[in-house]
Amino acid sequence: SIYGWRGATIENLKRLPQDYPRLKLIALEQNYRSTGHILRAANAVISHNPKLFEKKLWSDFGDGDPVKVVECDGEEHEAERAVAFIQSLRAQGGAIADERGSGQTKFGDFAILYRANHQARVFEQKLRAAQIPYKVSGGQSFFDRAEIKDLCAWLRLLVNQDDDPAFLRAVTTPKRGIGHITLGKLGEHAGRWKTSLFESLFSDSLAAQLGSKAIGSLHEFGRYLNDLEHRARHTTGAEDAKALLLDWLKTIGYEQHLYDSEDSEKLAASRWTNVLDFVDWVSRRCGGEIRQEGGIFEGEKQTVLQVAQTISVIISLAERGDEQDVVTLSTLHASKGLEWPHVWLAGINEGLLPFKPDADDLSAEVLATRLEEERRLMYVGITRARTTLAVSTLRRRKKGRDTVQGVPSRFIAEMAL
């Protein structure tokens, strides 16, 4: 069981024949999900685990497409190939659609599965760059982190100054002496005159409801936002865009805000790293950088405001919650019991799957047990696929701040493809 961490143990099954001497075994071997090639790969992998009862899955769906092993240079290359995998199958449409499905290949037919949550980030970035809708299951989306939402609120407000939710987040993050009483009166004024919060803050009649200090703070915020919008509209290219974004973060004191709001310096530093990653991503888009399997190419440069518009549209669609046709990003643990026509298993490398624990003093018995659990996790991943399965491995992979040589997981050889 992959639920060993919750107390599940194979010893319970071992005791069954002792507790029930007349025990009758009925093997449930017919699989109603996957094609022959996928099931043979799964059977081959799990055969390396000791078993009390032999079982080999089979199905009536024919062999189907062979399982594909994809070698990638690194995490970004892997994510690009996963995006190409989705785009290719989508382009072929009904020709390769699951015969048990609707006859069309939808985004919802795809899943990208991985061992650990941190692997999702680069896939999110590449899917967003390709304008492919997705959801993250079993972990938090990089773009759902509080610090990224803060920055996106500012960018959304640059695009649309009538966006009241974005205004409320931006005007209070970081804090600038504009409290809930001031915002409450600003909201009353906006409601009375049927204007947005941003438009109301420059209204002459607002002075009748707020003191000069509150008015001054609101005007300072409004003028800075207008200035930032002007600069964003006229700033293009990766280097200039990065300079603008870093200057913006310095001006509003966002790094200090993170350190002030966290008890742990380590956590604050991690959140600031996320911010810098986001800045790099926006800057590359402004520089027109296009990353494809063959390398990095230069496309049409965009202004910061144009990239902000793209981000705003994507977030607005996600917040509506009515977009169900999305690619699923999920940990292997969270995928148990689910299925998709097309599955991409990511990062199938030694150290990732099977995961290598940091402790060096574990006994051989404990290590063997953990390896069996990891192998069962690989088995779960393989058997999530109905018709198409791609397994990717990295030639080089990130380990903390370092890049190390990637070693294909032993589970790839065990699939006996």
Side-chain angles (χ1 to χ4, degrees):
S1 170
I2 65 170
Y3 287 98
W5 55 277
R6 290 176 63 177
T9 170
I10 201 168
E11 298 302 320
N12 295 327
L13 290 177
K14 285 182 179 177
R15 286 199 302 268
L16 274 176
Q18 300 163 18
D19 296 340
Y20 301 94
R22 298 173 63 187
L23 183 74
K24 180 179 180 181
L25 178 66
I26 300 173
L28 302 178
E29 296 181 310
Q30 183 171 4
N31 179 284
Y32 298 90
R33 173 188 296 144
S34 307
T35 55
H37 278 302
I38 293 169
L39 294 179
R40 283 195 288 274
N43 289 333
V45 166
I46 207 64
S47 69
H48 292 268
N49 272 9
K51 289 181 293 297
L52 293 175
F53 311 108
E54 196 65 35
K55 185 173 88 166
K56 286 193 175 181
L57 299 179
W58 60 275
S59 80
D60 280 333
F61 295 132
D63 283 345
D65 293 335
V67 175
K68 185 182 299 184
V69 175
V70 184
E71 291 189 10
C72 306
D73 292 333
E75 285 84 357
E76 289 212 359
H77 186 213
E78 178 182 48
E80 288 159 7
R81 297 201 70 171
V83 167
F85 167 80
I86 293 168
Q87 291 172 328
S88 174
L89 291 181
R90 284 262 301 162
Q92 294 176 55
I96 51 83
D98 187 343
E99 63 186 20
R100 294 154 278 159
S102 63
Q104 282 209 324
T105 308
K106 307 184 298 295
F107 286 124
D109 293 334
F110 294 89
I112 299 173
L113 309 180
Y114 37 80
R115 177 65 175 81
N117 285 320
H118 69 83
Q119 293 171 261
R121 180 184 300 184
V122 67
F123 288 103
E124 289 191 66
Q125 291 176 343
K126 298 303 179 184
L127 288 168
R128 283 184 181 258
Q131 298 188 0
I132 294 175
Y134 69 89
K135 65 179 179 180
V136 178
S137 177
Q140 185 186 40
S141 166
F142 176 73
F143 291 88
D144 282 339
R145 298 175 191 272
E147 58 272 21
I148 305 304
K149 282 190 168 184
D150 289 343
L151 306 189
C152 287
W154 278 81
L155 296 179
R156 289 173 64 177
L157 197 54
L158 295 183
V159 172
N160 176 18
Q161 294 181 343
D162 292 338
D163 188 335
D164 285 347
F167 174 89
L168 288 172
R169 186 157 193 147
V171 80
T172 56
T173 312
K175 291 183 174 65
R176 52 178 47 80
I178 300 174
H180 65 277
I181 295 176
T182 298
L183 291 175
K185 290 184 177 180
L186 179 66
E188 290 174 8
H189 183 277
R192 182 181 301 115
W193 295 98
K194 293 182 171 48
T195 62
S196 69
L197 294 172
F198 186 84
E199 186 178 352
S200 287
L201 69 83
F202 288 113
S203 171
D204 292 336
S205 58
L206 186 63
Q209 293 178 260
L210 290 172
S212 59
K213 184 177 180 181
I215 291 286
S217 296
L218 287 172
H219 284 181
E220 182 183 0
F221 172 76
R223 283 192 295 268
Y224 179 71
L225 196 83
N226 282 333
D227 176 65
L228 186 62
E229 189 274 339
H230 176 79
R231 293 165 64 196
R233 184 182 296 277
H234 295 93
T235 299
T236 187
E239 290 186 11
D240 289 344
K242 187 170 186 177
L244 169 61
L245 295 170
L246 291 176
D247 179 67
W248 158 50
L249 294 172
K250 182 179 179 180
T251 300
I252 67 174
Y254 194 78
E255 183 179 10
Q256 189 61 48
H257 158 73
L258 292 180
Y259 279 90
D260 290 343
S261 59
E262 291 291 349
D263 294 331
S264 163
E265 276 199 19
K266 185 177 180 181
L267 184 54
S270 175
R271 293 181 65 189
W272 178 244
T273 298
N274 291 337
V275 169
L276 295 179
D277 286 348
F278 180 74
V279 167
D280 285 340
W281 180 73
V282 174
S283 301
R284 290 198 301 270
R285 295 294 299 270
C286 291
E289 180 180 298
I290 301 173
R291 290 172 179 251
Q292 294 177 345
E293 194 171 321
I296 301 175
F297 305 94
E298 187 173 333
E300 185 178 349
K301 292 182 179 181
Q302 300 182 67
T303 66
V304 174
L305 192 64
Q306 286 174 318
V307 176
Q309 287 169 339
T310 300
I311 292 171
S312 181
V313 169
I314 293 171
I315 291 175
S316 295
L317 287 174
E319 287 179 346
R320 273 166 46 191
D322 58 0
E323 179 59 83
Q324 300 301 315
D325 184 21
V326 296
V327 174
T328 297
L329 300 181
S330 175
T331 62
L332 286 163
H333 278 103
S335 73
K336 193 174 191 298
L338 304 176
E339 62 182 63
W340 296 269
H342 312 292
V343 169
W344 182 283
L345 284 185
I348 310 303
N349 281 75
E350 291 291 315
L352 288 173
L353 189 70
F355 177 74
K356 183 181 179 182
D358 292 331
D360 295 325
D361 56 351
L362 297 176
S363 68
E365 183 179 358
V366 169
L367 289 173
T369 299
R370 291 193 176 184
L371 178 60
E372 290 172 17
E373 290 182 359
E374 293 290 295
R375 187 175 282 115
R376 281 190 282 271
L377 203 52
M378 178 70 175
Y379 176 83
V380 165
I382 293 171
T383 53
R384 297 313 90 199
R386 293 172 66 176
T387 60
T388 310
L389 175 64
V391 179
S392 59
T393 183
L394 306 172
R395 297 187 185 96
R396 292 181 299 277
R397 69 179 184 88
K398 291 181 181 176
K399 187 177 181 182
R401 294 177 179 269
D402 301 322
T403 298
V404 299
Q405 182 177 357
V407 178
S409 170
R410 67 195 72 184
F411 299 152
I412 291 178
E414 289 177 2
M415 286 193 294
L417 300 176

